[in-house]
Amino acid sequence: MGVRSVAISACGRVLQRAFSLHSAHSTKDMENFFQLVRNIVPALTSKKHKGQDGRIGIVGGCQEYTGAPYFAGISALKVGADLTHVFCAREAAPVIKSYSPELIVHPVLDSSNAVEEVEKWLPRLHALVVGPGLGRDDLLLNNVRGILEASKARDIPVVIDADGLWLIAQQPALIHNYQKAILTPNRVEFGRLWEAVLNSPVDTQGHSDSVLKLSQALGNITVVQKGEHDLISDGQQASAHYWWLPGVLAPSQGSVIIRLSRSTGAPQPPPT
Amino acid sequence: MGVRSVAISACGRVLQRAFSLHSAHSTKDMENFFQLVRNIVPALTSKKHKGQDGRIGIVGGCQEYTGAPYFAGISALKVGADLTHVFCAREAAPVIKSYSPELIVHPVLDSSNAVEEVEKWLPRLHALVVGPGLGRDDLLLNNVRGILEASKARDIPVVIDADGLWLIAQQPALIHNYQKAILTPNRVEFGRLWEAVLNSPVDTQGHSDSVLKLSQALGNITVVQKGEHDLISDGQQASAHYWWLPGVLAPSQGSVIIRLSRSTGAPQPPPT
C-alpha cells in the first residue's frame, strides 16, 4: 500500500488549497483538519497485507457517466483503502478501467444476473458506495435495488449518493432504519428525499433541524447534506451543524469518499 | 532505450522511500541495495539495438483484471527491458493498451488457438511472467497450461505469480522439476501450494525452512515467499532467509518484476 504517504500529502494539499480560499480560518483550525485527515488514513505498516486496510465497492457507471465512479474509487485508494471494485454497466467498463490500472472494474450492472454477480463479491467488501454515475435507467436501478437488499442482508455499510438517492426517493423503504446507511444529498437531492419521505415540500432547506428530521423520518440513518457548510445528523442529535472542510469542496466530483470518512469518523463538533 | 537512466533514478527513489520507513538500516545497507539494483539494470550503450536487453512476455489479463499485467509489463520496461508483450483475453486488450503505448498487447488468451498464438512469439522472448490478472476462468487456465508446456519445451525462464499459482496448485506436475521456474507466492498462495504438494496444512508459515521444503517438494525450483521479509529458496540452501527490499513493497501491485530481478540476480545473503 504505497499510496498512503501520497494520500496524506495529497489531502494536505487539498486542505491547504481549500483554506487558502477561506482565509478567515485560523492556523489552529487547519491543524485540526490535518489531524482529522490523518486519523482517517490507516497507518503504514509492513505487518499488513493487501486488502486489510479496506476493500471498497462502487456501484455506478453507465453509458453517459463514467467519471463519477472513477473519482469515488480512486479517492478511496488515495485516502488509504487497499482495493476498489467498481460494478458498472458493460459499456462503461473499458472507459473506467482505462482511467487507472489501480481499479478493478466489473462490467455487470446491466446484466440479467447483476445482483448475483455483485453478491458473490460482497463477502470480501468492507463498504459500498452506491450511486456515482448510476443514471436513471430502470434496469440499472432495479439491479441496484437488489444489490442494496443483498448488502443489508450482509450488514455491509453503504454510502448512497447521486442517482442512488434518486432510487431511495422512489423507494425509501429500501433503506429505512438501516443503521449502516449514509445518505449524502446535495440541496436538490435533499429536497427530493424530503418530499418523498415527509410528503411535503421542504420548509427550512440548509438548516440542521431539517437534516435531523429527515434522518429521523428514515429511521435514524445518517444524512449528510452537502453544501457551503455540511449538515449531518444521525437522528439522535437535536442540532447537528458541523462543518469539516470548507464548502468549496462540497459540490465537486470525487468528494464521496472524503465525506464517507468524515461522516464515519465523526469527532465532536466544535463549541458554537 | 531511453528508460534506463529513468529506471535507475526511479529505483533509487523507491529504495530511498522504503528505507525512510525503516530507519534502522544503515547508509551502507542502502548503498548495497542501490548497487544490487544497478547490477540488474543493463548498461546503456549505443552498440545495442532494441530487444537485446530483454524481451519479456506477460501472460495474464482478463475481463476483471487489467491492472496487474500492465504493472508487470511496465515494470519490466522501467527496470531495463526493451520490449514487453502482454498476452491477455480479448476484452482486456484495449484497456491494457490504453494504459501505455509502450506495451505490445495480444488479445489471444481466450481464443481457441491461444497456445499457437503465444507459441509463435516464444522464440523471440527471453522470459515469461505468468499469472498477473489471469483470473480463474477454466478456458484461460487451460490455455495457460499449454503455454507453460510450450515454454518448458523451449527452456524459457518462467516467473509464476497470482492466479498462475492457482493453476500450479491444481496441477503441480506442470512445473515440477523445471529449474527455470520461479514461483512468487504471497502467504495465502504459499499455503495453497503447500497443501497441494505436501498434502498437509502448512506448519511453519513465514519460515525459511518451509520455503526450502516446498522448493524441494517441487523438484528444487525457486520459491520466493513474499511478505514483510521475503523468503527465498532454490531447494539447495538449508536456510534461505533473505530480505532485499523492505516488505512494505511486498503486497503492492507492480512488484512482480522487481521481485523477478531480485530473485534471478540473487547475491549472497548477509551473515546472520
Side-chain angles (χ1 to χ4, degrees), chain A residues 1-2 5 44 46-50 85 90 94 97-108 121, chain B residues 17 21-22 62-68 70-71 91 94-95 98-99 188 227-228 247-248 251-253:
Chain A
M1 249 308 295
S5 60
L44 188 62
S46 58
K47 304 291 180 199
K48 290 182 181 171
H49 61 75
K50 185 169 70 181
H85 293 258
R90 172 155 291 276
K97 287 170 194 271
S98 75
Y99 294 145
S100 168
E102 296 197 61
L103 303 177
I104 301 164
V105 183
H106 306 259
V108 299
W121 285 95
Chain B
R17 180 176 164 278
L21 297 166
H22 292 255
C62 63
Q63 181 183 274
E64 293 93 348
Y65 305 121
T66 51
Y70 160 75
F71 282 121
E91 202 169 346
V95 177
S98 76
Y99 293 144
V188 173
E228 187 187 6
V248 65
S252 65
Q253 286 183 297

Side-chain angles (χ1 to χ4, degrees), chain A residues 26-80:
Chain A
S26 70
T27 308
K28 189 165 177 304
D29 282 342
M30 200 188 304
E31 282 166 5
N32 288 341
F33 281 111
F34 284 141
Q35 196 52 51
L36 271 177
V37 174
R38 284 194 190 99
N39 290 347
I40 292 162
V41 179
L44 188 62
T45 164
S46 58
K47 304 291 180 199
K48 290 182 181 171
H49 61 75
K50 185 169 70 181
Q52 282 188 288
D53 275 339
R55 298 183 293 271
I56 311 297
I58 313 291
V59 179
C62 64
Q63 182 182 276
E64 295 91 348
Y65 306 122
T66 52
Y70 160 76
F71 282 120
I74 205 75
S75 302
L77 294 176
K78 283 183 189 292
V79 297

Side-chain angles (χ1 to χ4, degrees), chain A residues 201-221:
Chain A
V202 60
D203 44 5
T204 51
Q205 263 276 25
H207 194 285
S208 57
D209 287 348
S210 307
V211 181
L212 174 72
K213 200 165 165 185
L214 179 61
S215 170
Q216 288 173 341
L218 284 162
N220 292 351
I221 69 174

Side-chain angles (χ1 to χ4, degrees), chain A residues 16-202:
Chain A
Q16 271 174 324
R17 179 177 165 278
F19 269 94
S20 72
L21 297 167
H22 292 255
S23 53
H25 303 305
S26 70
T27 308
K28 189 165 177 304
D29 282 342
M30 200 188 304
E31 282 166 5
N32 288 341
F33 281 111
F34 284 141
Q35 196 52 51
L36 271 177
V37 174
R38 284 194 190 99
N39 290 347
I40 292 162
V41 179
L44 188 62
T45 164
S46 58
K47 304 291 180 199
K48 290 182 181 171
H49 61 75
K50 185 169 70 181
Q52 282 188 288
D53 275 339
R55 298 183 293 271
I56 311 297
I58 313 291
V59 179
C62 64
Q63 182 182 276
E64 295 91 348
Y65 306 122
T66 52
Y70 160 76
F71 282 120
I74 205 75
S75 302
L77 294 176
K78 283 183 189 292
V79 297
D82 280 345
L83 289 165
T84 305
H85 293 258
V86 177
F87 302 93
C88 63
R90 172 155 291 276
E91 203 167 347
V95 178
I96 299 172
K97 287 170 194 271
S98 75
Y99 294 145
S100 168
E102 296 197 61
L103 303 177
I104 301 164
V105 183
H106 306 259
V108 299
L109 205 55
D110 52 349
S111 72
S112 58
N113 60 339
V115 180
E116 293 72 26
E117 287 291 327
V118 177
E119 201 167 11
K120 70 184 182 191
W121 285 95
L122 289 182
R124 311 190 213 179
L125 298 178
H126 295 113
L128 274 189
V129 181
V130 175
L134 178 59
R136 297 182 187 172
D137 178 87
D138 282 341
L139 172 64
L140 263 64
L141 290 177
N142 195 45
N143 286 336
V144 169
R145 187 188 50 71
I147 292 164
L148 276 174
E149 284 169 347
S151 305
K152 278 164 58 183
R154 292 185 174 274
D155 211 31
I156 294 174
V158 184
V159 179
I160 306 181
D161 192 50
D163 280 328
L165 296 170
W166 168 267
L167 174 63
I168 299 302
Q170 313 305 308
Q171 303 176 44
L174 253 181
I175 210 72
H176 189 272
N177 209 29
Y178 184 54
Q179 302 297 313
K180 293 199 171 171
I182 299 171
L183 310 187
T184 58
N186 61 23
R187 190 169 274 242
V188 172
E189 291 157 346
F190 185 90
R192 192 182 294 129
L193 281 169
W194 178 283
E195 288 178 32
V197 176
L198 292 154
N199 298 311
S200 66
V202 60

